[in-house]
Amino acid sequence: MTHATAGKRNISPLGKGKEKILHEDDGLVEEVSDAEVDLGFVGCVHEGVEYGLDPGVDSDGTNSWHSEEMKMPPNSEDELEEGNESEEASPLFREGARFGELHLEVGMKFGTKWEFREAVREYTIQEGRSIKIVKNDNIRCRAVCKVKECPWVAYASRDHEDTCWQIKTFNDDHTCPREDKNRAANRNWVCSKLVKKVRKYPNFRHCEAATYFKTRFDLTLNKNSISRALMDTRSVVYGDEKEQYRMVRDYGMTLLKTNPGSTVQICTTPQPDDEVTFERMYICLSGCKNGFKAGCRPLIGLDGAFLKTRFGGQILSAVGLDANHHIYVIAWAIVRVENTETWRWFLELLHQDLGHYKEHDWCFISDMQKV
């Protein structure tokens, strides 16, 4: 009688074909009715499910339907999107990351081995550790921490398509302490960090550079390293002075082309190896020459100044006063030394350009008694 009463209580008043059966684990499971089900309307069968049966559903030894809802086959576009999401693309290394934000990971690709080594150098300086390259050939490159007990390692080799370099092993776990001195911060690295500073501040000093590296990069650099790096940085910013002297003739031809009527004279000294070296140069632009004749008083000031460059020399200048009593540049010359010979050469060329003013010569003012 007890079983009969329990059976009557579990019969649903809405449908006689469905019953709620009480299992041993006190869970209620809905049993499927006796109606036939056409497998053709079930839809696509997912992996792990055979013949529309879900083996993951607990039952009393027989398979049961996980859901009564109709399963529609997925769209082909959805399948394509799911496939793309499953295949994670390897990240590409991008240069120009700010110091402190550089990130390395397994699978990252680099264009060349040199690019990988520079990225490791930047990363180790960022982390304040010292590394060394233990393997370096055409197909692989391994960098490890200089401390033997430290497990940090970065290994990269060519990918299977032989198109780039890819990180295969990367253990970013340092057990060694951070240091404020790092030999990875070599002369080229220091120079690359100073280029923007020197461009913005042309008179960037040695003490300012030392403070900059200490506060920005937490590095204590040698004084000689900073001095050499500053010299290289100024060469990058202002160009190589020796190469600029090779372009003096091109500079003169450009002045004559853009300023017709100008005077440009370049003197050189021949050498035994059929080469020539720069000796002196005189320049007088046509606009300055004609403007001085037309609207300035016949008063010319002469002066010389030292050139604080790698090769030295002096600059001789001839200036006047305009209507607003401002300095008006007439001509200038670059010479090795300032003496009587160079001044006479400069004044002869200046006389040829200016000629005479109302039948009187120009009045020269100079701080040299010999002129």
Side-chain angles (χ1 to χ4, degrees):
M1 291 177 63
T2 304
H3 290 288
T5 305
K8 291 179 181 179
R9 291 178 182 176
N10 292 332
I11 297 175
S12 174
L14 298 178
K16 298 180 180 181
K18 295 182 179 180
E19 296 181 10
K20 290 184 178 179
I21 305 173
L22 187 63
H23 290 269
E24 296 178 358
D25 55 354
D26 296 334
L28 298 179
V29 180
E30 183 174 337
E31 188 182 31
V32 183
S33 63
D34 297 335
E36 295 182 357
V37 180
D38 188 2
L39 295 177
F41 291 92
V42 174
C44 180
V45 180
H46 296 279
E47 295 181 0
V49 181
E50 296 182 357
Y51 304 103
L53 301 180
D54 190 352
V57 179
D58 296 334
S59 61
D60 54 353
T62 59
N63 288 322
S64 61
W65 294 105
H66 182 64
S67 175
E68 292 181 358
E69 296 180 359
M70 183 179 296
K71 298 181 180 180
M72 298 299 295
N75 192 2
S76 59
E77 296 180 357
D78 298 338
E79 291 179 352
L80 183 59
E81 293 178 358
E82 293 178 358
N84 291 337
E85 292 178 357
S86 61
E87 297 179 0
E88 297 181 358
S90 300
L92 297 176
F93 174 75
R94 299 185 181 276
E95 296 183 358
R98 298 185 59 183
F99 186 84
E101 299 179 358
L102 181 62
H103 176 70
L104 299 179
E105 59 180 296
V106 176
M108 181 173 286
K109 294 184 178 181
F110 300 84
T112 59
K113 181 180 66 174
W114 180 86
E115 188 176 344
F116 166 73
R117 294 188 58 177
E118 291 301 315
V120 171
R121 180 195 302 275
E122 185 80 11
Y123 185 77
T124 53
I125 296 175
Q126 172 182 299
E127 298 297 321
R129 269 66 172 200
S130 299
I131 66 162
K132 61 180 180 179
I133 306 297
V134 294
K135 289 186 182 297
N136 184 22
D137 51 32
N138 295 330
I139 60 174
R140 58 185 176 176
C141 182
R142 181 188 295 273
V144 297
C145 185
K146 284 190 175 181
V147 181
K148 294 182 179 180
E149 295 78 9
C150 184
W152 189 93
V153 61
Y155 173 77
S157 61
R158 293 185 178 273
D159 61 345
H160 62 281
E161 297 180 356
D162 199 18
T163 57
C164 63
W165 286 71
Q166 189 175 21
I167 296 179
K168 303 298 179 61
T169 304
F170 182 61
N171 183 12
D172 192 19
D173 185 14
H174 276 287
T175 58
C176 55
R178 184 181 179 91
E179 300 177 354
D180 61 346
K181 293 184 179 180
N182 197 329
R183 298 190 65 179
N186 56 8
R187 184 173 176 177
N188 294 333
W189 184 87
V190 176
C191 177
S192 64
K193 300 301 179 184
L194 288 175
V195 169
K196 291 184 178 180
K197 282 292 182 181
V198 174
R199 283 177 177 171
K200 189 175 182 180
Y201 307 103
N203 297 325
F204 198 66
R205 296 180 298 175
H206 183 281
C207 59
E208 295 173 343
T211 304
Y212 169 70
F213 281 101
K214 184 61 179 178
T215 56
R216 179 69 178 85
F217 304 99
D218 193 17
L219 283 174
T220 302
L221 299 178
N222 191 348
K223 293 182 179 180
N224 294 332
S225 300
I226 297 178
S227 300
R228 290 191 295 266
L230 280 173
M231 183 176 60
D232 294 343
T233 303
R234 291 190 175 95
S235 298
V236 173
V237 174
Y238 303 115
D240 190 358
E241 298 178 7
K242 187 175 181 180
E243 294 298 327
Q244 290 181 1
Y245 272 97
R246 296 179 183 272
M247 302 176 66
V248 169
R249 294 191 182 276
D250 296 336
Y251 173 68
M253 295 299 295
T254 303
L255 289 179
L256 295 177
K257 182 179 179 180
T258 56
N259 300 271
S262 301
T263 302
V264 177
Q265 188 177 93
I266 300 174
C267 300
T268 58
T269 303
Q271 299 295 326
D273 53 356
D274 296 335
E275 292 187 358
V276 294
T277 58
F278 176 83
E279 183 180 1
R280 54 193 177 186
M281 177 177 63
Y282 169 85
I283 297 175
C284 182
L285 301 179
S286 62
C288 297
K289 176 172 46 178
N290 297 330
F292 179 75
K293 290 181 179 180
C296 295
R297 286 181 260 177
L299 184 65
I300 299 176
L302 303 176
D303 194 10
F306 291 97
L307 294 176
K308 298 180 180 180
T309 59
R310 177 180 178 182
F311 297 99
Q314 291 186 336
I315 179 171
L316 308 180
S317 60
V319 298
L321 290 176
D322 59 7
N324 295 324
H325 298 283
H326 292 169
I327 294 178
Y328 188 91
V329 179
I330 306 172
W332 67 93
I334 306 296
V335 296
R336 291 184 178 273
V337 293
E338 181 183 5
N339 53 23
T340 304
E341 180 185 356
T342 55
W343 271 114
R344 287 179 178 175
W345 168 78
F346 179 72
L347 292 177
E348 288 178 1
L349 296 176
L350 187 63
H351 268 293
Q352 294 177 6
D353 287 328
L354 299 182
H356 295 277
Y357 177 75
K358 295 181 180 179
E359 298 181 357
H360 294 284
D361 290 337
W362 307 97
C363 179
F364 295 97
I365 300 177
S366 175
D367 58 352
M368 292 186 62
Q369 297 179 359
K370 297 181 181 180
V371 177

